[in-house]
Amino acid sequence: MDNISTRKNKLTTIHYYLLTALFLFPAHGEGRGILLANEADTLSVREMDEVVVVSTPKEHATLRDQTLSSSSFGEAQLVQRGIDNIKDLTAHVPGLFIPTYGSRLTSSIYLRGVGSRIGTPAVGMYVDDIPMANLSCMDQDLSDADRIDVLRGPQGTLFGRNTIGGLIRVYTKNPMNYQGTDLMLGGATYNNYRARVTHYHRPADNFAFSAGVGYEHLGGFYKNYALDEKRVDRSDDISARWRGIYVPSDKVRLDLSARYQWTKQGGYPYAAQQGPDAGLVAYNRESSYRRHLLSLGLNAEHDFGPVMMTSTTGFQFLKDDMFMDQDFSRQDLYSLQQKQKSKTLSEEIAVKSKGESRWQWTSGINFQYQWLNTEAPVTFYQEGVDWLTGIINRSLPDLTSKGMGQMSIALKNSEMPMGGVFDTPTLTAGIFHQSTIEIVKNLSLTAGVRLDYEHYKMAYDAPGNVDFDFAMPAHGMNVMLNNMNVKPTFLGRTTNHNWHVLPKASLKYDFGKVGNVYASVGRGYRSGGYNVQMFSDLLQVEMRREMMSAIDAGTEAYLTNLFARIPGMPAGHVDMIMGRIRSGMPMVQSPDVAATTYYKPETAWNYEIGSHLNLLDGRLQADLAAFWIETRNLQISQMAESGMGRVTINADRSRSIGMEASLLAYITDDFSLNTSYGYTRAKLRHTDCYVPFAPQHTLSLGARYVWHTRGWLQHIGLYMGGKGAGRIYWTRENDFSQPFYALLDARLSLTHDKLEFGIWGNNLTQTHYDAFSFVTRGQAFAQRGTPLQVGLDLRLKF
């Protein structure tokens, strides 16, 4: 080690920087560093990582030269921290919380107190500049990622809808710059096995491609004690990907990509928090999730000299099927099955200036159309029908004081589905422009605006079929109505549209190599939509209304027929009795479908000051920011009032105030420390309660050391990191919560040439915490966080 240090001290300053960047932190994004075997970290303070990234369609500067708060992770960092999908980014990014619960259907992303569990995303996601359409697409295999960027705060001006909280961008390895074959084999506790292989090849100077496949199996962390202790959350994933880059001339570049993932999962290991099964997952019907996800993208660039034009075309196909024992108990009450078929076509054309002039600009237009068909029936089984019968009967009046008795209804269906088929297409179109002008030396102004139009509609067909008997004592006789039937049905369509103006303005002062400071203001929005899972509740209301109507008509016919056979019965006696009955009958109005199911778009203004600093000759990188966010029509996800399904509501205005800090320090060439901290005080304005599901604090700490040896084993790398989040409130009322918790992870890597052997562990302290919790039917349920897991992996590059 001393000899190595002596040789380095003799290098020139430029050579020192280059060697440090190459051996410790290679370039990433469109480029590729020297060796992962050197424990190379692709996030260099010298920002060689971002030199190539400037080729993104809409940006002129590296991330840390832009007036926004951001974090980047290169390939080695992703491996060291065990980041295989976006959920693993939790707490590594200040203020970011993506809990692991449920299934791949659920990607609940919260950033700066803004987020969503269902419905439209609050944080957008792009893979190789292709947008992911919705939350169901975001949790996917990212093992070929070369870099992941997280941009915090509204990104509406350049990226439009559903980036109100920020944006996650994933870049895969570029086969033009990297060739060879990457192989990974891994195994871990809980019967977790993985295998991935990707080949990168450049058969010609102007053409290169990559192709890969992957498989992962998880035996499951949690047992279902109502189903012979069968593992609830076992899963199998198969993925395939292809990317080809063709450069027919020095002016044109074509980048075509295709990704497919098949998923088969159990899921929803929710344990009751009270009662005889407290702390145990115990429900009687096996739950599952199946998904086919295909994503295609084409990026076409044309260099016109003074300007660069980019066309980005994306297509996604999603077909999935979720089945959930919705009561989460040993009782056979009801289940939810949701099937989705989605096709999304997007197109964006962007033109940006080139050169080093004082005025840099970007303009563009975009279009997106999504076809979405959803089936979402809630099915009541015999115990559920009996339970529903009890609810209905408790709502019926006792007419004893009027000479009659308690009404009673007996539902006769052994199984009763409630739900339907829904088409919810969405059209979005936008136009945007952003300019950056150098006002004076080192001081620049960035200003832009976007105009977005959204049109969405819902066509619904939700039928019901209910058989029942009715009985009521009345004036010494029993009114008996047997074999009654009603068919509550909702059939129709509804539409909504919105215009959104999304401005942005910021000032930046540049200190040169030391860094910069900035102040910015911008607006973002999240789309509105329709709660299709509400229809089971609506059908119950309509069922009761039609039952009351049928009972009214049936009782009047019964009494009329009865009294007609009684000689001397006074006229008007039927009307007198019916008047008493009707005076006590519950009044049930037919629901307004459009008003009940629709939730409005959420909008937010973000005010921010921040700084990106490179100190101590670049050995200390600091990113600091403070923000103030005012949100209107805040969308909050919660269980439906009946407990059957989840819905999104516009709860309130909210205010988020907070700060973020990220530090990366290079103590020596072989020893580095990193930390990130985010504080968010997100509160509902009218109730003064905290916004549910958004943590107040996120924290991560990490240290890495690399030993260089002279034997067959060339490098030994050790990374240890801790991360934590909390306090997290689970309900809008803040009546219960998860305190701050911390997890310890570690990875030891042994390297020879292009071979790396890794030993890793997650949650080494066996911390017990709730990853998710909710209340339904007056009962609290929770999913425990992932327990301690250890594993081995082998990575080979040849």
Side-chain angles (χ1 to χ4, degrees), residues 116-305:
S116 62
R117 289 170 50 211
I118 60 172
T120 53
V123 177
M125 180 177 172
Y126 283 61
V127 178
D128 289 330
D129 295 319
I130 305 298
M132 299 294 103
N134 52 48
L135 287 171
S136 302
C137 300
M138 292 184 175
D139 187 0
Q140 57 179 280
D141 174 44
L142 300 176
S143 59
D144 59 338
D146 197 40
R147 193 184 84 252
I148 297 179
D149 300 335
V150 181
L151 287 59
R152 300 188 286 278
Q155 306 299 317
T157 304
L158 288 182
F159 296 95
R161 67 196 291 261
N162 301 337
T163 58
I164 189 171
L167 180 68
I168 298 172
R169 301 190 307 199
V170 180
Y171 295 96
T172 62
K173 293 187 182 75
N174 184 340
M176 278 287 185
N177 301 328
Y178 175 76
Q179 289 84 48
T181 301
D182 291 354
L183 173 68
M184 195 284 289
L185 301 173
T189 52
Y190 296 97
N191 292 319
N192 186 194
Y193 308 108
R194 294 178 293 170
R196 302 182 184 116
V197 60
T198 306
H199 180 66
Y200 303 84
H201 188 54
R202 187 172 181 173
D205 290 342
N206 63 350
F207 176 69
F209 72 91
S210 64
V213 293
Y215 172 74
E216 180 169 3
H217 170 78
L218 175 64
F221 296 110
Y222 312 96
K223 297 178 180 179
N224 187 337
Y225 288 86
L227 291 175
D228 299 324
E229 300 188 17
K230 189 174 183 178
R231 295 285 176 174
V232 180
D233 57 326
R234 64 196 180 282
S235 67
D236 290 280
D237 284 280
I238 298 174
S239 61
R241 49 200 174 270
W242 185 91
R243 183 182 181 189
I245 299 176
Y246 177 53
V247 186
S249 71
D250 59 356
K251 299 292 186 181
V252 178
R253 180 179 182 272
L254 302 176
D255 188 343
L256 177 65
S257 61
R259 304 177 68 87
Y260 171 77
Q261 186 167 2
W262 174 81
T263 296
K264 177 183 177 182
Q265 286 185 289
Y268 322 108
Y270 304 145
Q273 300 301 286
Q274 302 92 26
D277 286 325
L280 302 178
V281 179
Y283 51 80
N284 63 294
R285 288 185 180 265
E286 187 174 353
S287 298
S288 62
Y289 180 64
R290 307 287 186 270
R291 185 184 71 177
H292 297 271
L293 176 62
L294 173 67
S295 180
L296 304 174
L298 173 62
N299 290 300
E301 293 182 358
H302 196 295
D303 188 343
F304 288 97

Side-chain angles (χ1 to χ4, degrees), residues 117 273 693 730-731 736 770-775 780-783:
R117 289 170 50 211
Q273 300 301 286
F693 304 106
W730 299 122
T731 63
F736 68 110
D770 289 339
F772 174 58
S773 190
F774 62 96
V775 175
F781 293 85
Q783 177 175 329

Side-chain angles (χ1 to χ4, degrees), residues 364-423:
I365 58 174
N366 85 297
F367 162 88
Q368 185 179 89
Y369 192 84
Q370 182 180 57
W371 298 263
L372 177 59
N373 175 270
T374 306
E375 299 178 36
V378 171
T379 301
F380 291 86
Y381 304 104
Q382 187 60 65
E383 288 184 70
V385 170
D386 295 341
W387 172 72
L388 191 58
T389 299
I391 293 176
I392 294 173
N393 282 320
R394 285 193 293 272
S395 70
L396 297 176
D398 185 352
L399 302 179
T400 305
S401 62
K402 299 183 179 183
M404 291 169 282
Q406 176 68 47
M407 300 178 180
S408 65
I409 289 175
L411 300 178
K412 299 175 65 177
N413 305 67
S414 59
E415 283 193 10
M416 190 164 59
M418 289 189 174
V421 179
F422 312 94
D423 288 310

Side-chain angles (χ1 to χ4, degrees), residues 43-71:
L43 187 64
S44 166
V45 293
R46 282 90 187 175
E47 297 187 293
M48 296 186 69
D49 61 323
E50 297 193 64
V51 171
V52 186
V53 183
V54 179
S55 63
T56 56
K58 291 176 275 194
E59 297 162 305
H60 293 87
T62 64
L63 272 180
R64 300 189 71 243
D65 282 329
Q66 296 180 40
T67 53
L68 55 85
S69 183
S70 63
S71 300

Side-chain angles (χ1 to χ4, degrees), residues 653-656 681-685 688-691 734:
R653 294 189 179 190
S654 72
R655 174 176 292 166
S656 296
R681 184 180 182 271
K683 303 194 78 173
L684 302 173
R685 296 290 302 279
D688 202 39
C689 291
Y690 287 93
V691 173
N734 290 179

Side-chain angles (χ1 to χ4, degrees), residues 49 108 194 198 224 231 260 264-265 315 346 362 370 378 403 438 442 444 469 518 578 634 672 773 776 791:
D49 61 323
S108 303
R194 294 178 293 170
T198 306
N224 187 337
R231 295 285 176 174
Y260 171 77
K264 177 183 177 182
Q265 286 185 289
F315 176 78
S346 62
T362 300
Q370 182 180 57
V378 171
E438 186 179 7
N442 297 334
S444 61
D469 295 336
Y518 67 88
M578 289 303 300
L634 178 72
S672 63
S773 190
T776 179

